[in-house]
Amino acid sequence: MGCTRREFIKYSAAMAALTFLGYGCGRKEAEATPDTWVKGVCRFCGTGCGVMVGVRNGKVAMVKGDPNNHNKGMLCLKGALLASVINSPDRLTTPLIRKGGTLVKATWEEALDLTATRFKQTLEQFGPKAVAYYGSGQALTEESYLANKIFKAGLKSNNVDGNPRLCMASAVGGYVSTFGKDEPMGSYEDMDSANCFFIIGSNTSECHPILFRRLAARKQSDPSVKIIVVDPRLTNTARIADLHLPVVPGTDLALMNAMAHVIFNEELDDSKFHGKYVSFKAMVDGKPVEKSLEDYRTFLADYTPEKAAAICSVPAESIVQAAKLFANSSATMSLWCMGLNQRIQGVWANNLVHNLHLITGKICKPGSTSFSLTGQPNACGGVRDTGSLAHLLPGGRLIANQEHRNQMEEIWGLPKDSLNPAPGLFTTAMFAALGDTVRAMLVLCTNPAQSLPNVKKYTANLKKSTKFLAIIEAFADAETLKYADVVFPAAFWCEREGVYGSGERRYCLIEKAVASPGEARPSVNILLDLATRMGVDPKLIPFKNSADIWEEWREISAKSAYNFKGMTRERLRKTSGLLWPCPTEDHPGTKIRYSRGDDPMVPADHPDKYFFYGNPNGRANVWLRPHKPAAELPDAEYPFILTTGRVIDQWHTGTMTNKVPEIRKAFPAAFVEVNQEDAKRLGIANGDNVRLDTRRGSLVLSARVGEVCRPGLVFAPFYDAQKLVNELTVDAVDEASKQPEFKICAVRVSKA
Amino acid sequence: MKRYEFELKRSSHAVDKDKKPITCEQCHIPRRAGIDYLVVKSYLGVRDLAVHFFGDTKDLDRRNMQLVARRFVSDDNCRQCHQDLMLTAKGKSISPEGKKAHEAWLGKDGKGRRTCAGCHSNMAHLPKFDRRYAVNAAFAAKLPPEGE
Amino acid sequence: MKKLRQFFTDTLNQITLGRKWLIIPMALAVLALAYFSYLSLAFSGTRCTWGQAQHGEVTDAQSDCYACHKKVTPKIAQDWNESKHGMLLVKCYVCHGLPDGKGAVPFSAKPDAKVACQRCHAPAIERMYTKFGVREGCNSCHGFHTNSLHHDAYAKSVSKQKAE
């Protein structure tokens, strides 16, 4: 028996390997791999990333990105942690009825009967104006369409509104007033070919991380790509910006007019495009009046870069540079979100972005588009397209327009002129009238007691005993539950089947993956049960499930520019989303609207390449919109500007994201960002308690001192129900879109 | 060697709490008179001479040297001035993050068995590639941008 | 060098072939070597105990990992901050979990690539599998933190940085 050198080395190696193995023992085994993967859409923001839900033993075990959807398998941190939300123990499992001040468990029969009786009584006593529905951009398309039909056609009440009023009503106003039809003309694919990005009023990196990834990847692949970020905060988005313009909040109208001024002055405009496809318009005494190019140039003469620089407090050279980058690139894409929408000049600001694209001809071409980002997963598909707002009817029709009403009456099989001709109450008006002229309200899938502006004013109404509030909700700790009289437990996300429509007109089917806990039911069935009990004509609601509703809505869409007749349930099941217009079952979907050859709504033999069919003259409108200041400007008493927003971890009111232990721990409480110079002056150190006072209330938050906010600006997120920054925000609304100005209010900052 | 002296003079370790200059061997040569002292002193002496006469001082791979920095700075030397790890050498309280990290190192709740220089590798010297760290910003500002 | 090796081989061969009873001290020596190498690996100053990572108590106020770690472990924090994951704000806890272990993601200083990467990079993992036949160990080629998107590292690969 011998031990050679070779063997010696072998033994040593084996021993060394064993010692290394010792390290591996303590490591946790990999998570159990799921049995099946079910296709769906992420429950969070309006990006609408495709997800694959991994199911094991009837439970969601894991969520990963859908490789076939636009996100190419990528997910942001919220999406990656989605499984904790659906597995949360804080779910509602039985209906609740308020008895003697507290919510107690009830049977479905009791809850449905009580709600239907109260709605019927209210209708008999006060008429259809006294009932209201408050929907959500998170409800399925089928749910929103059904609720809209029940209230507008069944109960003849136009008090149908939803939280998209707080979120993207101004974007709707902007698209409709400029192009005649709602929804962006481009798609996310434009990001891969754009050479210049104009990001204004959007913290894309935190609010739409997957789109930011695409944008950053574009920048990485081609360093000549320029990114302009206009944001009063130095956000994470600004990290990849070539030019960051920290304008004073509320002054971007002057900025964009000045950019248009520079574009004409430097002859960077595309006269061939705007001569052929654009008509200039202005509002005179509340009526649109045709203007000429000369009128527009005279109007712009007032907005020199120097003058705008003084208003916005950014260097005039930067404005000139931004305009040149915008106009000189081969393809420019604009992205904006709540920074433009949640403002009293929201629609105007939207118009001005479209103006920049129309005068430079950078629109309806690959990479050239003006693209409004959306905050909720189904605000576009569910609420905008189905017309579930107080002034709309499905397919972009208006209630105030008799022709549109008659079309819908014919489609829905109603007698002529039977629809209520008066537009209903928009969100803040609806909640202001609650308990007074509005007596019974149904809330679906949203949390208004936290998300409304100047929220104390409206929670006072929610407390009134003269109102009846029924809500359909999935989580037991939503703020609005405190004021509800009846609560229906709803099936959440992939516990039922339905369609979500994301920001790029992409419709995608969420398939049912798991069963809902306890007695929770799909909202569609709750709405159908309620409607039947309220005595809505059964012919109006001949549905059994969401697939039936989709079939009807798909057929109806063919009679409007929102044509997606080709998106059958079967097709949606097979694909990871399709972009409308999609008129036939073999149509691949539309990437660019208004362009001959791309958009099936433009006739193939149309004489011009571009056709803005939404407007009667086939041209897009360039609006002459003067600069207008915010509703509440800082003064000696309230010298700071308060702006609100989101952080990447938390989503909206935090009802869902707070179910994820990681996120709850990372962002447990709201904070306020203060500029370091301001902090020095006020003697505030990082982590100190800071008191914010506005004309509506006050709040103490812990401070984060840094260079994120520009001097004179403070920022607070709105996800924390305990420290509700919406108690401070102003509820002034845009004249046209009725969207409140969450983004700007005057505030006093002091050390607590 | 000049480069290291240059960096040392601008670092937080240029002078001790009594404003007396700190010299190289105060950190780099073990304090205890014993076998450590002998070995290190003779090894470093021979190596320095070798590098001085035959080597290229510009060729030093600082990135890899940093990984083994702990071999060249004995903890005992550090603890001569920093007896209480919850205080700075001047007797002021350190940051909450620092307290947490030192608590973990002292074995109150972690199992860290690094040496002082294992974490604090840029106390007296700061190579270019480490100047981007936020914690080194104050030190980096004192060094010329081009000099390594 | 060659001579030295030859000398060692020769002596070793002589000893083992000549006197078989030497196997016992030989085995003891191997065991001792293993023991010492174990000790040096387990308690060396170079490595923190990443196998069974331990972490101090974290209060809610201190819970944003990056805020503390940019001071405590500046290199790792900065690497993350400058990497693609940092740019896109894929935060620490998405892969590493919570230090108290109460999170949905298991706490580990070295996350399991099979689970952590698969959430977003499933298509890439499949691509790697068809190309190289490996599904695991993403980290050995693609450093988790040092896959940079921007800053200095934007144009430079990690290997080039090392030459700096």
Side-chain angles (χ1 to χ4, degrees), chain A residues 309-333:
Chain A
I311 298 174
C312 310
S313 119
V314 289
E317 302 83 71
S318 303
I319 299 177
V320 175
Q321 198 193 345
K324 283 184 178 168
L325 285 176
F326 188 103
N328 277 333
S329 92
S330 58
T332 305
M333 183 171 188

Coordinates of all heavy atoms in Angstrom, one line a residue, chain A residues 309-333:
Chain A
A309 N -36.7 82.6 -19.0 CA -35.6 82.2 -18.0 C -35.9 82.9 -16.7 O -35.7 82.4 -15.6 CB -34.3 82.6 -18.5
A310 N -36.4 84.2 -16.7 CA -36.7 84.9 -15.5 C -37.9 84.3 -14.8 O -37.9 84.2 -13.6 CB -37.0 86.4 -15.9
I311 N -38.9 83.8 -15.6 CA -40.1 83.2 -14.9 C -39.7 81.8 -14.3 O -40.0 81.5 -13.2 CB -41.2 83.0 -16.0 CG1 -41.6 84.4 -16.5 CG2 -42.4 82.3 -15.4 CD1 -42.6 84.3 -17.7
C312 N -38.9 81.0 -15.1 CA -38.7 79.7 -14.7 C -37.4 79.6 -13.8 O -37.2 78.5 -13.2 CB -38.4 78.8 -15.9 SG -39.6 78.8 -17.2
S313 N -36.6 80.6 -13.7 CA -35.4 80.7 -13.0 C -34.4 79.5 -13.4 O -33.9 78.8 -12.6 CB -35.7 80.7 -11.5 OG -35.2 79.7 -10.8
V314 N -34.3 79.4 -14.7 CA -33.2 78.6 -15.3 C -32.5 79.4 -16.3 O -33.1 80.4 -16.8 CB -33.7 77.3 -15.9 CG1 -34.2 76.3 -14.9 CG2 -34.8 77.6 -17.0
P315 N -31.2 79.1 -16.6 CA -30.5 80.0 -17.6 C -31.2 80.0 -19.0 O -31.6 78.9 -19.4 CB -29.1 79.4 -17.7 CG -29.0 78.4 -16.5 CD -30.4 78.1 -16.1
A316 N -31.2 81.2 -19.6 CA -31.8 81.3 -20.9 C -31.0 80.4 -21.9 O -31.7 79.8 -22.8 CB -31.7 82.7 -21.4
E317 N -29.7 80.2 -21.7 CA -29.0 79.3 -22.6 C -29.5 77.9 -22.6 O -29.5 77.2 -23.6 CB -27.5 79.3 -22.3 CG -26.8 80.7 -22.3 CD -27.0 81.4 -21.0 OE1 -26.4 81.0 -20.0 OE2 -27.7 82.4 -21.0
S318 N -29.8 77.5 -21.4 CA -30.4 76.1 -21.3 C -31.6 75.9 -22.1 O -31.9 74.9 -22.7 CB -30.6 75.7 -19.8 OG -29.5 75.9 -19.1
I319 N -32.5 77.0 -22.0 CA -33.8 76.9 -22.8 C -33.5 76.8 -24.3 O -34.0 76.0 -25.0 CB -34.7 78.1 -22.4 CG1 -35.0 78.1 -21.0 CG2 -35.9 78.0 -23.3 CD1 -35.8 79.3 -20.5
V320 N -32.5 77.6 -24.7 CA -32.2 77.6 -26.1 C -31.6 76.2 -26.5 O -31.9 75.6 -27.5 CB -31.1 78.7 -26.5 CG1 -30.6 78.6 -27.9 CG2 -31.7 80.0 -26.2
Q321 N -30.7 75.7 -25.6 CA -30.1 74.4 -25.8 C -31.1 73.3 -25.9 O -31.1 72.4 -26.8 CB -29.1 74.1 -24.7 CG -28.1 73.0 -25.1 CD -27.3 72.5 -23.8 OE1 -27.3 73.2 -22.8 NE2 -26.7 71.4 -24.0
A322 N -32.1 73.3 -25.0 CA -33.2 72.3 -25.0 C -34.0 72.4 -26.3 O -34.2 71.3 -26.9 CB -34.1 72.6 -23.8
A323 N -34.3 73.6 -26.7 CA -35.1 73.7 -27.9 C -34.3 73.2 -29.1 O -34.8 72.5 -30.0 CB -35.4 75.2 -28.2
K324 N -33.0 73.5 -29.1 CA -32.1 73.0 -30.3 C -32.0 71.5 -30.3 O -32.1 70.8 -31.3 CB -30.8 73.6 -30.2 CG -30.8 75.1 -30.7 CD -29.4 75.7 -30.7 CE -29.4 77.1 -31.2 NZ -28.1 77.7 -31.0
L325 N -31.8 70.9 -29.1 CA -31.7 69.4 -29.0 C -33.0 68.8 -29.4 O -33.0 67.8 -30.2 CB -31.4 69.0 -27.5 CG -30.0 69.2 -27.0 CD1 -30.0 68.9 -25.5 CD2 -29.0 68.4 -27.8
F326 N -34.1 69.4 -29.0 CA -35.4 68.9 -29.3 C -35.6 68.9 -30.9 O -36.0 67.9 -31.5 CB -36.5 69.7 -28.7 CG -37.9 69.2 -28.8 CD1 -38.5 68.6 -27.7 CD2 -38.6 69.3 -30.0 CE1 -39.8 68.1 -27.8 CE2 -39.9 68.8 -30.1 CZ -40.5 68.2 -29.0
A327 N -35.3 70.0 -31.5 CA -35.6 70.2 -32.9 C -34.6 69.6 -33.8 O -34.9 69.2 -34.9 CB -35.8 71.7 -33.2
N328 N -33.3 69.5 -33.4 CA -32.3 69.0 -34.3 C -32.2 67.5 -34.3 O -31.5 67.0 -35.2 CB -30.9 69.6 -33.8 CG -30.7 71.0 -34.3 OD1 -31.2 71.3 -35.4 ND2 -29.9 71.8 -33.6
S329 N -32.7 66.8 -33.3 CA -32.5 65.4 -33.3 C -33.4 64.8 -34.5 O -34.3 65.4 -35.0 CB -33.0 64.8 -32.0 OG -34.3 64.4 -32.1
S330 N -33.0 63.6 -34.9 CA -33.7 62.9 -36.0 C -35.1 62.4 -35.5 O -36.0 62.3 -36.3 CB -32.9 61.8 -36.6 OG -32.6 60.9 -35.6
A331 N -35.2 62.1 -34.2 CA -36.5 61.6 -33.7 C -36.5 62.0 -32.2 O -35.7 61.6 -31.5 CB -36.6 60.1 -33.9
T332 N -37.6 62.7 -31.9 CA -37.7 63.2 -30.5 C -39.0 62.6 -29.9 O -40.0 62.5 -30.5 CB -37.8 64.7 -30.5 OG1 -36.7 65.2 -31.1 CG2 -37.8 65.2 -29.0
M333 N -38.8 62.1 -28.7 CA -40.0 61.5 -28.0 C -40.2 62.3 -26.7 O -39.2 62.5 -25.9 CB -39.7 60.1 -27.6 CG -40.8 59.4 -27.0 SD -40.5 57.6 -26.9 CE -42.1 57.0 -26.3

